[in-house]
Amino acid sequence: MEIIQSEQAYSSIYKRSIEDPEAFWADIASDFQWKKKWDNVLEWDFHKAETKWFLGGKMNITENCIDRHLPKRASQTAIIWESNDPHEASKHITYQELSDHVCRVGNMLKNQGVKKGDRVCIYMPMIPEVAYAILGCARIGAVHSVVFAGFSAGSLVDRINDSGCKVVLTSDGSYRGDKKIDLKVIVDDAMLKCPTVEKTIVYQRTLNPVNMKPGRDLWWHEEMAKASTQCPAEVMDSEDLLFILYTSGSTGKPKGMVHTCGGYMVYTNYTFRTVFQYQEGQVFWCTADVGWVTGHSYILYGPLSAGATTVIFEGIPSYPDMGRFWHVAEKHRVNIFYTAPTAIRSLEKAPLSFVENYDLQEIKILGSVGEPINEEAWHWYHEHIGRGQCPIVDTWWQTETGGIMISPIANVTKLKPAFATLPLPGVQPAVMDENGNELTENGVEGRLTIKFPWPAIARTIYGDHQRFKETYFSTFPGKYFTGDGCKRDEEGFYRITGRVDDIIIVSGHNMGTAEIESAIDEHSAVCESAVVGYPHDIKGQGVYAYVICYDKPHQEENLRKEIRDMVSKVIGPIAKPDKIQFVSGLPKTRSGKIMRRILRKVAEGETSNLGDTSTLTDPSVVDEIKNGAL
Ligand code: 7RM
């Protein structure tokens, strides 16, 4: 396959990918190891919410992530593991060792009666074994369902039962900063309500005493010792399930997004190599947790299928101090660094000496994902981490899209701070107005849809195709609706303005809350903000801003005025916040997304019935917010 290396190449390849998508993707797919070539590249019908890629093709993603590299790269490091504890030795796992571990896990699962198509829940910390677990499932055709190991027992129960998992892979405990979490206790609690689970297999990480239920609970090290390092890769159809990954809906129960083998493999590999311009021998570090799609696609499947060296980091950015990311980047000579704006903003707050203590010369490319990156954070990241020299790829995508969709291509296409910029080849965005008309010009704003399938699009919601169809394909019939709003500027560059459910209408004007936040954040005293709408007698909706300052403000009224003036200056008087509440933190989920539902309720004057707050990193901020409500 041809990797794009110039702006002209981008234009011509993009054009070809739109004119003849099947030929374009067939060409890319032919670079992989197939056990049998596909009969048909694509069949789709967005009215029925159906997409199939590489039909009739037979393959196994682990052969493409491991076996095919062995002739050349058996002794190359596949995974660098860095512990939560900076004093614990890091690990370098070669492709050969990865092969042995993954095959062992495959056999260990088979020994417990796991067969192709069975669901296996993985509830583990960020240790090398979580990678072996995920790939071990894929090796034997079991469907993995990774549940982020920060979720509560109740969330675990919902996810296990929704997909009927037969086995749970877990550990005795996990480390997170200075905290130790007893994962097995949470699993024990969950097991009281999970009738489909026959076995749990427990890896020893923290060595805290755990309760092992006879007949159900097994030790990982004992079972692995019995398992051989030879495990033939199960023959998978392109459209067989690879994994289920739950993502929260705007309301109600989590949606089990289903990804299949062939298209997902092709797309995560292609986007990894293209967006980051990965070069042979480079070290790639994506700081996400494997419990999120970013970890699936860009810690494991993308980099490993490309034969790269990928970093798995067990810890958090602030432990033992705010320099940890930069310490790890220096120590492992990271070349490509991919993180989230929420992390950037929190590190930006710390003294610069935490960055300056480390040599970051090896970093060549920076990435951002998960939410819109505000301009201030973009510039800080560019200047201080990228030394003004590294491109930042602001990658827009979703659990549902499987891989990156809209993003600059590092060192190839133009950057524009706070813009995800251009669609990748094969991606056909369409901006829609409220009435369902496509806005075909540039210089428009509307809802972001995608009008043609790409190989890694989620195929369904596990067990609920109707919900899949309604959520993604009914708002704009015939198109995939992302739930995001966007602008396309005069140059055709996309800026994602945030979830459409975060749009507020003030005096008849549509405003993206992200846009107001970005303006507030430009005030030098402000670290971060979150804006929601609240009912307003005259305007319909008023603007309510929650603002975190670097230092606790002394003269709140003065600062409020300055912030209003700033917003007025940046966006216009219409966007000026009506209410500004200073807070010390925001209610964030563990993936760094602000739980706006809570902020909206408090802004509306509702302080009881805030709903489930168990997935918040720090539920105590909710009380502070309630008590300070204006
Ligand atoms: C990869 C991931 C998806 C939602 C998506 C957006 C937001 C993600 C960006 C972004 C602006 C970005 N999957 N989002 N990336 N918004 N710029 N570069 O995050 O399923 O967890 O979230 O995240 O709203 O719809 S996700």
Side-chain angles (χ1 to χ4, degrees):
M1 93 177 71
E2 187 188 343
I3 289 289
I4 297 171
Q5 284 168 345
S6 70
E7 212 155 10
Q8 287 113 301
Y10 167 76
S11 305
S12 65
I13 290 175
Y14 184 78
K15 191 158 168 278
R16 184 162 71 89
S17 78
I18 301 309
E19 286 166 359
D20 194 350
E22 296 196 20
F24 173 76
W25 287 113
D27 179 34
I28 290 169
S30 58
D31 269 15
F32 294 82
Q33 197 169 305
W34 295 85
K35 291 171 185 284
K36 174 185 167 284
K37 201 186 161 192
W38 57 89
D39 305 312
N40 227 337
V41 178
L42 171 65
E43 278 177 16
W44 68 295
D45 182 347
F46 273 0
H47 290 284
K48 294 187 184 150
E50 283 174 6
T51 309
K52 292 184 175 132
W53 282 92
F54 310 115
L55 292 87
K58 305 284 179 194
M59 40 75 69
N60 186 296
I61 197 167
T62 68
E63 282 189 336
N64 286 276
C65 288
I66 303 170
D67 306 56
R68 73 166 167 153
H69 304 314
L70 292 180
K72 250 180 85 183
R73 285 190 251 275
S75 59
Q76 183 202 303
T77 302
I79 294 173
I80 296 175
W81 175 74
E82 172 71 22
S83 166
N84 177 66
D85 175 358
H87 303 296
E88 183 176 354
S90 46
K91 291 183 184 167
H92 287 70
I93 297 116
T94 66
Y95 271 95
Q96 182 60 58
E97 288 163 342
L98 181 62
S99 173
D100 294 349
H101 291 298
V102 167
C103 286
R104 276 219 159 95
V105 171
N107 287 324
M108 167 171 86
L109 291 169
K110 278 187 181 171
N111 292 343
Q112 297 309 321
V114 177
K115 295 189 187 62
K116 176 176 172 178
D118 288 344
R119 275 79 57 215
V120 172
C121 174
I122 299 174
Y123 186 70
M124 295 176 76
M126 288 286 283
I127 52 180
E129 287 70 22
V130 77
Y132 311 155
I134 290 171
L135 297 168
C137 287
R139 188 74 177 175
I140 65 165
V143 179
H144 55 78
S145 170
V146 182
V147 176
F148 173 62
F151 274 123
S152 63
S155 307
L156 184 58
V157 168
D158 293 344
R159 286 159 176 75
I160 289 174
N161 290 343
D162 185 71
S163 54
C165 294
K166 193 166 173 179
V167 168
V168 176
L169 302 177
T170 188
S171 69
D172 50 358
S174 71
Y175 297 112
R176 215 186 122 76
D178 56 11
K179 292 196 197 75
K180 192 162 148 180
I181 300 148
D182 293 333
L183 286 188
K184 179 62 165 58
V185 173
I186 300 171
V187 172
D188 288 343
D189 197 7
M191 285 308 107
L192 301 172
K193 293 183 185 153
C194 294
T196 59
V197 176
E198 295 167 12
K199 298 281 181 221
T200 76
I201 305 180
V202 185
Y203 180 79
Q204 281 188 310
R205 171 67 185 130
T206 53
L207 300 174
N208 56 315
V210 297
N211 172 36
M212 296 291 279
K213 187 175 166 182
R216 185 193 70 192
D217 298 346
L218 304 164
W219 286 115
W220 174 289
H221 59 273
E222 290 178 6
E223 298 310 310
M224 285 289 266
K226 294 180 216 161
S228 123
T229 56
Q230 298 300 312
C231 179
E234 184 73 35
V235 180
M236 303 298 282
D237 189 275
S238 297
E239 285 300 331
D240 280 337
L241 270 62
L242 174 62
F243 68 86
I244 301 168
L245 184 59
Y246 287 86
T247 182
S248 40
S250 37
T251 50
K253 71 176 212 179
K255 300 172 289 197
M257 304 314 306
V258 169
H259 285 282
T260 58
C261 297
Y264 178 83
M265 169 182 78
V266 170
Y267 197 76
T268 51
N269 175 278
Y270 179 71
T271 52
F272 172 73
R273 302 207 296 159
T274 302
V275 170
F276 300 104
Q277 291 285 295
Y278 163 74
Q279 311 279 318
E280 180 100 29
Q282 287 188 320
V283 176
F284 180 83
W285 182 16
C286 164
T287 69
D289 191 283
V290 283
W292 314 119
V293 73
T294 307
H296 283 58
S297 301
Y298 300 107
I299 294 177
L300 296 180
Y301 289 116
L304 294 176
S305 66
T309 298
T310 187
V311 176
I312 296 183
F313 174 47
E314 187 186 32
I316 54 174
S318 56
Y319 179 81
D321 61 42
M322 299 299 271
R324 188 68 192 280
F325 268 8
W326 321 128
H327 185 189
V328 174
E330 176 191 82
K331 179 174 171 189
H332 298 299
R333 299 187 184 85
V334 169
N335 303 116
I336 309 174
F337 179 74
Y338 189 32
T339 194
T342 183
I344 299 166
R345 285 192 302 264
S346 76
L347 296 169
E348 185 190 336
K349 270 205 281 184
L352 256 189
S353 55
F354 282 116
V355 180
E356 289 160 351
N357 273 341
Y358 302 102
D359 177 1
L360 301 179
Q361 291 293 327
E362 287 295 330
I363 295 183
K364 306 295 178 206
I365 286 156
L366 298 171
S368 170
V369 60
E371 53 175 319
I373 177 165
N374 49 303
E375 286 195 42
E376 197 185 313
W378 196 99
H379 287 291
W380 184 86
Y381 195 32
H382 189 254
E383 183 178 340
H384 296 291
I385 308 308
R387 312 168 313 277
Q389 292 166 10
C390 305
I392 298 176
V393 291
D394 176 358
T395 65
W396 174 83
W397 59 294
Q398 310 176 295
T399 305
E400 296 86 340
T401 70
I404 299 167
M405 300 286 282
I406 302 181
S407 170
I409 296 174
N411 292 319
V412 172
T413 60
K414 235 179 78 182
L415 305 176
K416 189 164 178 176
F419 279 69
T421 74
L422 297 169
L424 294 182
V427 174
Q428 302 190 33
V431 182
M432 310 297 287
D433 71 12
E434 265 100 296
N435 306 318
N437 302 310
E438 181 174 349
L439 302 167
T440 54
E441 308 291 302
N442 281 343
V444 291
E445 178 162 9
R447 322 221 139 176
L448 178 60
T449 67
I450 314 287
K451 58 184 174 185
F452 195 87
W454 62 99
I457 183 174
R459 303 303 195 252
T460 191
I461 291 174
Y462 192 81
D464 199 348
H465 194 69
Q466 190 56 30
R467 185 176 180 197
F468 183 64
K469 205 165 114 179
E470 276 162 20
T471 310
Y472 303 103
F473 297 90
S474 68
T475 317
F476 301 105
K479 296 189 173 65
Y480 167 80
F481 177 40
T482 64
D484 282 324
C486 74
K487 279 181 179 172
R488 186 170 55 219
D489 72 5
E490 295 299 340
E491 278 185 288
F493 282 22
Y494 290 82
R495 176 186 183 133
I496 310 302
T497 47
R499 302 294 305 182
V500 189
D501 29 30
D502 296 336
I503 293 273
I504 53 178
I505 305 185
V506 182
S507 303
H509 297 266
N510 275 21
M511 283 186 287
T513 51
E515 196 181 10
I516 305 175
E517 289 159 12
S518 182
I520 295 173
D521 296 349
E522 286 195 29
H523 190 288
S524 60
V526 175
C527 166
E528 185 171 8
S529 63
V531 166
V532 296
Y534 73 99
H536 189 287
D537 284 351
I538 296 164
K539 302 177 174 183
Q541 271 188 307
V543 179
Y544 195 116
Y546 297 86
V547 174
I548 307 177
C549 295
Y550 290 104
D551 301 303
K552 192 175 160 41
H554 295 299
Q555 299 200 293
E556 295 203 346
E557 266 323 306
N558 286 354
L559 187 54
R560 283 197 178 95
K561 180 171 182 306
E562 287 176 24
I563 290 172
R564 286 198 182 97
D565 290 347
M566 175 65 88
V567 175
S568 188
K569 194 183 107 200
V570 178
I571 307 175
I574 187 73
K576 274 203 282 194
D578 299 277
K579 294 184 178 181
I580 297 176
Q581 181 183 347
F582 295 107
V583 293
S584 68
L586 291 168
K588 287 197 180 171
T589 64
R590 293 187 175 94
S591 57
K593 297 204 163 68
I594 298 166
M595 210 186 256
R596 287 169 192 276
R597 173 171 62 77
I598 291 174
L599 298 179
R600 271 189 225 112
K601 284 209 169 162
V602 173
E604 283 163 23
E606 165 89 65
T607 47
S608 49
N609 297 325
L610 292 181
D612 181 14
T613 55
S614 68
T615 59
L616 293 177
T617 320
D618 177 11
S620 73
V621 299
V622 176
D623 285 323
E624 183 205 321
I625 286 173
K626 280 197 306 204
N627 296 335
L630 300 169

